Amino acid sequence: MLYFLGLISAGTYFTFASVQGDYGLFRRIGIDAEAQALREERDKLAAEIATLENKTSRMSDGYLDLDLLDEQARLMLGMVRADEVVLR
């Protein structure tokens, strides 16, 4: 009788540990969800970096995009052309 009680206790413990333990099923699901969120954040940051690299290359000496230069001068410096009227 004591032998069977020990086996049932061990089985219950190992079942509980496999589901709720440090290396259990719920912990694995949490880690997978966190990894997916981090992958999405990485992809978002990679897209932002690509956009900034594109703008940087367009503002470089080797390739100057006049439209981008005009846009940045207006946005950052508040510049306007002589023939434009500014309404505030």
Side-chain angles (χ1 to χ4, degrees):
M1 181 72 168
L2 190 60
Y3 178 72
F4 289 115
L5 185 60
L7 285 177
I8 291 173
S9 296
T12 304
Y13 169 74
F14 287 124
T15 302
F16 177 78
S18 68
V19 173
Q20 298 249 348
D22 289 340
Y23 302 102
L25 184 62
F26 290 150
R27 178 75 174 150
R28 173 65 184 214
I29 292 170
I31 289 173
D32 288 343
E34 184 180 355
Q36 181 62 31
L38 289 173
R39 275 189 224 102
E40 290 173 2
E41 183 180 355
R42 179 200 61 199
D43 294 341
K44 192 184 313 181
L45 290 173
E48 186 178 338
I49 287 171
T51 302
L52 292 173
E53 284 177 348
N54 182 22
K55 282 187 178 181
T56 302
S57 69
R58 289 171 50 197
M59 294 291 287
S60 68
D61 292 336
Y63 177 83
L64 184 59
D65 186 359
L66 295 177
D67 291 332
L68 181 63
L69 180 64
D70 183 50
E71 176 187 338
Q72 291 299 317
R74 290 170 182 270
L75 182 67
M76 296 296 196
L77 302 175
M79 299 181 77
V80 293
R81 291 190 187 121
D83 61 339
E84 292 180 335
V85 177
V86 177
L87 301 174
R88 291 186 188 218

